[in-house]
Amino acid sequence: MPQSQRDTIFLEQARVLEHQSYDGDQYILRVEAPKCAARAAPGSFAHLQCSPERPLRRPLSIMRTSPTEGWVDFLYKAVGEGTKLLSEREIGETISVLGPIGKNFEFHTDRPRPLLIGGGVGIPPMVFCAEHLKRDPHWSPFVIMGSEVPFPFKTRPSQIMVPGMPDAVIAAMPLLEDWGIPSRLTSLQGYPGCHEGYVTDLARLWLDSLSEEQRAEVEILSCGPHPMLEAVANLAAEYNLPCQVSLEEFMACAVGGCAGCVVEVATEQGPAMKRVCVDGPVFDAKTVF
Amino acid sequence: MQLQSPLVLLSGCVGFGEEYTRIEGFSNRDVGAVCLKGTTGQARPGNAPHRVCETPMGMINAIGLQNPGVDKVVDEILPTLDFNETRFIANVSGSTIEEYIQVTRKFDDSDIDAIEINISCPNVKEGGVAFGNDPEMSARVVEACRAVTDKPLITKLSPNQTDIAANARGCIEAGTDGFAVINTLMGMAVDIHSRTPIIGNNQGGLSGPAIKPVALLKVHQVYQVARDHDIPIIGQGGIMTAEDALEFIIAGATTVGIGTALFYDPLVCPKINEGILAYLKQHDLESVEQITGTLVLNENPTLCKGKI
Ligand SMILES: Cc1cc2nc3c(=O)[nH]c(=O)nc-3n(C[C@H](O)[C@H](O)[C@H](O)COP(=O)(O)OP(=O)(O)OC[C@H]3O[C@@H](n4cnc5c(N)ncnc54)[C@H](O)[C@@H]3O)c2cc1C
Ligand SMILES: Cc1cc2nc3c(=O)[nH]c(=O)nc-3n(C[C@H](O)[C@H](O)[C@H](O)COP(=O)(O)O)c2cc1C
Ligand code: FES
């Protein structure tokens, strides 16, 4: 490992500033972690000690940051012991946060139409990507989100036209709407305004509505459950589009030291076991599916 | 071998020496030595995921000795390490005695400061703990490695055996210069919904505070043998604090290893150093060597007086 990577991850005793619960055991946590906030980029995650009772850290994607105000937002689902203990942490308490960690999503200027697809607790990195892209008019991103539990925000009918969308598919994420970024939602649960189906259904409708030249400007960025990512990767292959996916694996150190978090990745030298924490979590979809 | 701190970063927890320096405030200068990841003759891809999971007061791992092979480690990784910051110790593994010899020989012809023979890895099918739990095989591996290196040779002992002291005795006769006590204990975690082991390899090695009492006893037992030969022990297994470290030193360790604790608190080493220094000051001591093995056992522990 080159020494140029030294001192790029920070350990902070982060004060809980906000901790909001949503349906489906979902939580949005805001902590004060100014160093992490200053260096995080879309795709970065942090390794949090949920509670001293369960000292091994848990990885969570970073959803939003404010480098000026020094906070970092996470969206997580309480699924097991660690995340349940995390959900009990109250405003004013401190949480040990190690971050930002990982290889980020890359944006390519010759692909100004990023298609961001987030499923469930894979939504946070997509929000980070969108907030990053909104700063520069060069980019025209479109965001598709899917969830089988109620979305952790109050959906709003979109004011932004999106080609290819059925009339009834109108619900959007308000935050993205405020940033002027079009979004559409999917679920099998029949939530109002959402497409009843899969994220890839909407992606396909949108891609089919674009001209050949426009399609050549698309790159897919995605995070979510493994089967969803696989479907997204297949879709990208079908349309011959570049695709980056963010993967998950159990972690111990999260800094590349233990090789605990590996996934199989295709390389020029054949299959190799790569660490999700520092070689990822973002990988070229072609190499992992 | 003189060390700047009694702390040693443990094999498999800190990659090939540089990974933790990604963290601001972490420095290899805070420790006396860094043990590199277990290295074999050829590159090994390691085990199928999941490879790690948390368990009460600890964790289970089954990495399966993923490493790029000794040639890459010596030719490409060692030259990038800063030997001014600390000492680096190689961790040698193999499926056959010939492989242990091949890897040791290659490290002997390198800048590495010492060589640790890992005959206690529980996560590989051949070699590893299969050698370490057989005293005769352990001694043969040590003897074979001894024959091809003059560098300090440390033997890493397995807790998964009946008589660790007898094994240690054989390794001393075979020429070891030091011991690392202990490697992980074999364990399992089960997912009750899928009714499968959580770890891809089905079983793995348990580390962290859960194993500390076992590790302490093993250090004490090995010390009874090593003491007469002036052979130092790197005590390890669940050390989280300066107090834990001091327990190991009193039980017979000269230096102490930090592994799983880094996963909990990556900046734990300076805190442990400080705690040890404060203890030395409090007890008017110059160095930790003065308390190594100073454990005073209770007399007649099994005898109680009086009637039932
Ligand atoms: C890079 C990355 C980003 C992530 N981002 C988010 C996010 O933004 N929001 C969110 O809700 N979740 C996210 N996850 C998943 C989250 O880390 C797990 O849900 C969490 O670790 C589960 O811990 P637990 O103790 O509650 O569950 P348990 O099932 O009790 O955990 C037991 C063990 O398994 C590990 N584990 C279980 N599931 C996962 C998993 N999916 N990924 C990694 N380790 C797991 C735990 O770390 C722990 O060691 C992310 C995972 C990774 C790797
Ligand atoms: C993820 C992980 C990987 C390990 N890999 C090795 C290894 O390659 N070689 C070895 O000798 N020991 C290995 N060990 C064992 C540690 O070096 C150490 O002996 C053990 O974890 C006990 O110390 P601890 O409780 O402080 O972690 C590994 C331990 C862990 C947790
Ligand atoms: S979690 Fe240790 S290498 Fe990724």
Side-chain angles (χ1 to χ4, degrees):
Chain A
M1 188 195 111
Q3 292 197 355
S4 59
Q5 295 191 19
R6 286 189 170 190
D7 301 337
T8 52
I9 299 173
F10 308 96
L11 185 66
E12 296 178 275
Q13 283 303 322
R15 207 156 50 90
V16 178
L17 300 174
E18 289 171 34
H19 204 171
Q20 191 68 44
S21 77
Y22 295 86
D23 285 347
D25 292 322
Q26 298 173 103
Y27 296 84
I28 293 182
L29 168 69
R30 175 168 293 182
V31 298
E32 188 175 33
K35 290 181 177 176
C36 181
R39 223 193 65 80
S44 300
F45 71 95
H47 212 30
L48 287 78
Q49 194 166 65
C50 298
S51 155
E53 277 170 57
R54 278 296 204 182
L56 200 67
R57 292 161 186 271
R58 300 291 190 268
L60 292 180
S61 305
I62 295 173
M63 179 162 74
R64 292 189 66 197
T65 64
S66 168
T68 49
E69 293 169 22
W71 51 255
V72 178
D73 276 359
F74 303 97
L75 161 63
Y76 68 94
K77 191 166 180 214
V79 292
E81 222 166 325
T83 44
K84 281 200 185 99
L85 286 166
L86 181 63
S87 72
E88 291 163 14
R89 308 300 297 274
E90 292 174 3
I91 292 174
E93 286 185 56
T94 56
I95 296 176
S96 176
V97 173
L98 183 70
I101 309 170
K103 205 172 121 303
N104 306 123
F105 283 105
E106 284 173 18
F107 306 102
H108 300 105
T109 39
D110 61 334
R111 300 267 170 186
R113 294 175 194 275
L115 172 58
L116 313 179
I117 305 180
V121 288
I123 288 174
M126 298 300 108
V127 174
F128 202 157
C129 286
E131 189 160 21
H132 176 81
L133 295 172
K134 85 171 200 303
R135 290 172 205 160
D136 183 345
H138 174 73
W139 307 105
S140 330
F142 173 42
V143 185
I144 302 173
M145 292 175 181
S147 181
E148 298 315 321
V149 293
F151 286 93
F153 47 82
K154 206 166 160 7
T155 63
R156 189 202 285 172
S158 181
Q159 304 296 315
I160 312 171
M161 283 284 295
V162 179
M165 292 302 110
D167 290 344
V169 179
I170 193 65
M173 182 188 193
L175 189 64
L176 297 178
E177 196 77 2
D178 293 344
W179 294 339
I181 294 178
S183 63
R184 290 297 184 270
L185 309 176
T186 72
S187 175
L188 296 171
Q189 310 301 322
Y191 300 132
C194 300
H195 168 70
E196 197 166 336
Y198 296 107
V199 287
T200 41
D201 304 340
L202 285 191
R204 192 178 287 280
L205 289 174
W206 182 70
L207 288 170
D208 288 342
S209 75
L210 301 180
S211 70
E212 192 118 349
E213 293 77 54
Q214 288 171 326
R215 246 195 325 267
E217 295 177 346
V218 174
E219 168 149 28
I220 301 181
L221 314 179
S222 189
C223 183
H226 207 79
M228 185 201 94
L229 291 182
E230 192 164 7
V232 169
N234 289 339
L235 182 83
E238 185 186 326
Y239 283 83
N240 200 18
L241 296 172
C243 177
Q244 303 167 45
V245 291
S246 179
L247 300 184
E248 293 182 359
E249 187 43 64
F250 294 18
M251 292 185 179
C253 71
V255 297
C258 73
C261 63
V262 298
V263 290
E264 192 177 306
V265 177
T267 70
E268 278 166 23
Q269 291 81 42
M273 302 308 284
K274 295 276 182 195
R275 299 161 297 184
V276 169
C277 63
V278 293
D279 302 320
V282 177
F283 292 94
D284 179 345
K286 277 202 303 291
T287 65
V288 286
F289 287 107
Chain B
M1 195 161 90
Q2 228 25 61
L3 304 181
Q4 65 203 9
S5 148
L7 307 191
V8 175
L9 299 184
L10 294 179
S11 179
C13 302
V14 290
F16 283 96
E18 187 62 22
E19 277 75 6
Y20 260 88
T21 65
R22 286 187 164 92
I23 301 171
E24 184 200 46
F26 179 93
S27 172
N28 282 334
R29 292 183 193 276
D30 289 332
V31 296
V34 175
C35 290
L36 307 183
K37 175 66 190 170
T39 303
T40 49
Q42 306 302 320
R44 281 180 63 101
N47 292 330
H50 308 301
R51 290 181 171 182
V52 289
C53 80
E54 187 166 30
T55 55
M57 299 299 284
M59 61 174 284
I60 295 180
N61 89 81
I63 309 300
L65 290 175
Q66 178 174 351
N67 79 94
V70 67
D71 290 348
K72 259 215 166 109
V73 172
V74 170
D75 300 338
E76 292 173 27
I77 297 179
L78 293 192
T80 68
L81 296 178
D82 187 347
F83 281 75
N84 292 318
E85 292 185 337
T86 192
R87 309 265 191 151
F88 290 100
I89 302 175
N91 182 269
V92 172
S93 256
S95 331
T96 60
I97 292 193
E98 289 67 37
E99 190 176 359
Y100 276 97
I101 295 172
Q102 175 204 347
V103 180
T104 304
R105 191 175 265 142
K106 180 86 189 180
F107 275 120
D108 180 63
D109 191 21
S110 79
D111 287 337
I112 207 83
D113 292 299
I115 297 173
E116 180 174 77
I117 317 174
N118 176 8
I119 45 168
S120 41
C121 179
N123 297 325
V124 288
K125 293 218 163 46
E126 292 157 343
V129 82
F131 287 167
N133 286 350
D134 176 344
E136 201 179 311
M137 277 306 292
S138 302
R140 277 178 57 198
V141 176
V142 174
E143 193 175 18
C145 295
R146 176 77 290 165
V148 295
T149 185
D150 293 326
K151 292 196 192 265
L153 201 61
I154 302 157
T155 307
K156 188 158 178 176
L157 298 176
S158 163
N160 305 299
Q161 57 179 323
T162 333
D163 191 348
I164 198 171
N167 191 318
R169 207 171 287 121
C171 294
I172 294 172
E173 281 162 17
T176 196
D177 299 313
F179 286 114
V181 184
I182 54 175
N183 207 320
T184 51
L185 284 152
M186 290 192 211
M188 182 185 263
V190 173
D191 181 328
I192 57 167
H193 300 293
S194 64
R195 296 186 199 148
T196 55
I198 293 173
I199 294 288
N201 186 50
N202 294 325
Q203 65 177 65
L206 178 65
S207 64
I211 70 169
K212 193 186 97 176
V214 178
L216 266 174
L217 178 61
K218 301 290 174 192
V219 167
H220 168 68
Q221 290 170 337
V222 172
Y223 182 68
Q224 305 314 308
V225 181
R227 163 180 60 193
D228 300 338
H229 303 268
D230 227 2
I231 289 195
I233 299 170
I234 311 175
Q236 59 197 273
I239 295 174
M240 300 284 130
T241 63
E243 288 73 20
D244 295 338
L246 288 161
E247 282 189 65
F248 276 85
I249 294 165
I250 292 164
T254 305
T255 53
V256 289
I258 310 296
T260 303
L262 287 173
F263 305 155
Y264 300 171
D265 177 1
L267 302 183
V268 73
C269 290
K271 294 174 199 164
I272 297 179
N273 279 330
E274 258 171 51
I276 293 175
L277 285 174
Y279 176 89
L280 293 181
K281 201 164 159 222
Q282 184 192 348
H283 292 269
D284 253 335
L285 297 162
E286 303 273 303
S287 77
V288 289
E289 277 144 55
Q290 290 173 269
I291 53 164
T292 290
T294 52
L295 182 71
V296 184
L297 293 179
N298 302 319
E299 280 176 35
N300 296 334
T302 54
L303 292 184
C304 284
K305 298 202 170 67
K307 297 192 183 88
I308 310 169

